[in-house]
Amino acid sequence: MMIVSIVALVQAAAAPVPGTLPKQTLPERGCAAYLWAVQDQRFVAMVEPGRLRVMLDGKPTDLPAAEAGGVGPLGLASTTRYAGDGVIATLDMTITQRETLQDGAIVSDATLRLARGNQDEIVVPVGGLVGCAPASR
């Protein structure tokens, strides 16, 4: 019983580690970035203007944007800080548009930093794609 309590305390105090998100849909309007961990190719985050969705403690968690900086293409900022439920996340990403991609772009370089309270921070190198609601043609 004591070991279970100690393990629970250590997990509660540790930096939040993103789990694998289930499949997500394209937004009805605008664009969203879909990010995979570089290390093991797990789908770990979805970003829309104003919110970050990650899997924390076994459940999908939406963190609202607290501040954004740097103008990025397709309505997504190059640096955004998100905060909620005692978690602070910072996403830095470079979005690269290519003529060969229709209704989207590539997230060519990005890092997702997650911290809970005054505990250690985890930094996850990520990359992915931006998908946009189809434009009227």
Side-chain angles (χ1 to χ4, degrees):
M1 180 94 110
M2 180 71 144
I3 293 175
V4 173
S5 297
I6 292 171
V7 169
L9 284 173
V10 169
Q11 289 175 339
V17 177
T20 303
L21 274 174
K23 182 179 177 179
Q24 303 290 306
T25 60
L26 281 174
E28 291 183 23
R29 293 187 318 265
C31 301
Y34 302 84
L35 304 172
W36 286 264
V38 171
Q39 181 180 8
D40 56 12
Q41 300 301 302
R42 289 179 308 109
F43 177 43
V44 295
M46 182 181 94
V47 180
E48 293 178 298
R51 110 180 138 132
L52 168 72
R53 175 171 288 162
V54 291
M55 182 73 80
L56 295 177
D57 303 323
K59 63 181 182 204
T61 303
D62 288 339
L63 300 173
E67 70 181 89
V71 176
L74 305 173
L76 299 167
S78 57
T79 300
T80 308
R81 188 175 67 81
Y82 304 87
D85 296 330
V87 175
I88 296 173
T90 303
L91 176 64
D92 294 300
M93 66 179 170
T94 302
I95 297 173
T96 305
Q97 293 181 288
R98 295 196 177 152
E99 289 181 18
T100 56
L101 287 175
Q102 184 176 344
D103 299 326
I106 293 174
V107 178
S108 55
D109 181 44
T111 55
L112 175 62
R113 291 177 283 160
L114 295 165
R116 182 177 278 139
N118 291 325
Q119 303 303 317
D120 290 339
E121 181 178 88
I122 186 168
V123 178
V124 181
V126 293
L129 295 170
V130 174
C132 300
S136 299
R137 296 196 201 331

